[in-house]
């Protein structure tokens, strides 16, 4: 089975599942997207890895794993999303230590959070992308979309969007840059990275 390389499009908050997020993966040499529902903690960890300018005051779980692996010279070579059963994606982390390769089973969200920290590529098999991939630019596609896929597309298109990650009721446009920077520091200090990312988006729009 041929492997297909994926990149990360972004993270979209699920309006239908409380505390759930949709991680959107891109087909690198194509137009299909692979939406994967993940939890809030994993979404936060992936968002922190994507947002290079926010540094946690203490290492998150995936950062701790990276520090541990670096200390013992373990390298993650790549991640493969290798199976899809009843809507659940299964992944493997391919590691190398002392020139020996090991394959470790992992939740897809954890595997991707670690891949980002090791700058490791993410792959899936073509048959999985054929089964679960969706075309955002092909509204006339004959493939029917599930309700969940339609909701993910709606969130992605309306958000693409860093606005979709902003907690409901939070309006940062009314604050000054000085206030926003103070709030950003406080959010990072309190390890509220979702709020920190939203504040940083508002600061970036004003530059």
């Amino acid at each position: 089975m041929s492997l297909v390389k994926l990149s990360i499009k972004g993270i979209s908050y699920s309006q239908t599942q409380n505390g759930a997020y949709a991680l959107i993966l891109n087909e690198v040499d194509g137009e299909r997207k692979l939406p994967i529902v993940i939890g809030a903690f994993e979404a936060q960890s992936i968002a922190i890895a994507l947002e290079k300018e926010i540094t946690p005051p203490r290492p998150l779980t995936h950062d701790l794993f990276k520090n541990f692996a670096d200390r013992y010279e373990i390298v993650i070579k790549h991640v493969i999303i290798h199976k899809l059963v009843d809507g659940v994606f299964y992944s493997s982390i391919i590691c190398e230590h002392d020139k020996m390769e090991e394959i470790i089973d992992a939740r897809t969200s954890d595997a991707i959070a670690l891949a980002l920290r090791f700058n490791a590529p993410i792959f899936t098999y073509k048959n999985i992308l054929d089964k679960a991939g969706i075309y955002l630019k092909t509204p006339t596609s004959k493939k029917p979309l599930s309700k969940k896929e339609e909701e993910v597309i709606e969130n992605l298109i309306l958000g693409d969007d860093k606005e979709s990650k902003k907690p409901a009721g939070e309006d940062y446009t009314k604050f000054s840059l000085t206030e926003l920077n103070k709030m950003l520091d406080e959010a990072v200090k309190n390890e509220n990275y979702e709020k920190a990312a939203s504040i940083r988006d508002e600061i970036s729009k004003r530059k």
Side-chain angles (χ1 to χ4, degrees):
M1 292 184 288
S2 59
L3 288 172
V4 179
K5 190 174 183 180
L6 302 171
S7 63
I8 296 177
K9 167 77 174 177
I11 301 173
S12 178
Y13 181 69
S14 172
Q15 302 296 328
T16 59
Q17 298 186 48
N18 188 31
Y21 291 75
L23 173 65
I24 311 298
L25 301 176
N26 267 346
E27 179 184 17
V28 170
D29 294 320
E31 295 183 352
R32 286 177 292 184
K33 318 294 179 194
L34 192 65
I36 300 175
V37 176
I38 61 176
F41 171 78
E42 292 78 11
Q44 172 181 281
S45 182
I46 291 171
I48 287 296
L50 290 171
E51 180 60 70
K52 305 297 184 183
E53 297 184 39
I54 296 179
T55 303
R58 297 178 298 168
L60 301 179
T61 302
H62 297 109
D63 298 318
L64 178 61
F65 184 95
K66 173 66 163 59
N67 294 339
F68 182 90
D70 287 345
R71 179 67 61 89
Y72 290 96
E73 299 181 341
I74 300 169
V75 177
I76 290 180
K77 306 296 290 184
H78 56 272
V79 162
I80 301 177
I81 302 171
H82 63 83
K83 186 167 67 174
L84 174 61
V85 179
D86 296 330
V88 178
F89 293 91
Y90 294 78
S91 294
S92 294
I93 299 174
I94 288 72
C95 304
E96 186 177 89
H97 177 60
D98 287 341
K99 297 183 180 180
M100 293 185 62
E101 192 171 273
E102 298 285 347
I103 300 176
I104 300 174
D105 181 48
R107 294 188 308 167
T108 297
S109 53
D110 289 329
I112 291 174
L114 289 172
L116 283 170
R117 287 162 170 81
F118 282 85
N119 293 316
I122 302 164
F123 297 95
T124 192
Y125 289 111
K126 183 178 180 298
N127 65 321
I128 291 179
L129 198 56
D130 290 341
K131 182 178 180 180
I134 55 177
Y135 287 92
L136 294 186
K137 297 182 179 180
T138 316
T140 57
S141 172
K142 295 180 180 179
K143 178 183 176 181
L145 298 178
S146 69
K147 184 177 180 181
K148 182 182 292 185
E149 288 173 334
E150 290 175 345
E151 290 162 351
V152 168
I153 292 173
E154 179 182 0
N155 289 339
L156 183 63
I157 293 176
L158 296 181
D160 186 355
D161 200 295
K162 299 180 176 177
E163 291 296 316
S164 64
K165 293 185 287 186
K166 186 181 296 183
E170 296 279 3
D171 181 12
Y172 298 112
T173 59
K174 61 185 179 181
F175 296 101
S176 68
L177 277 174
T178 300
E179 291 173 321
L180 287 172
N181 280 303
K182 184 177 180 181
M183 291 167 63
L184 176 60
D185 291 340
E186 188 68 22
V188 172
K189 181 180 177 181
N190 294 331
E191 301 185 13
N192 188 343
Y193 302 117
E194 181 182 347
K195 181 177 180 179
S198 297
I199 295 171
R200 169 122 194 101
D201 292 339
E202 179 60 32
I203 293 173
S204 297
K205 286 193 294 186
R206 302 190 191 186
K207 292 182 178 178

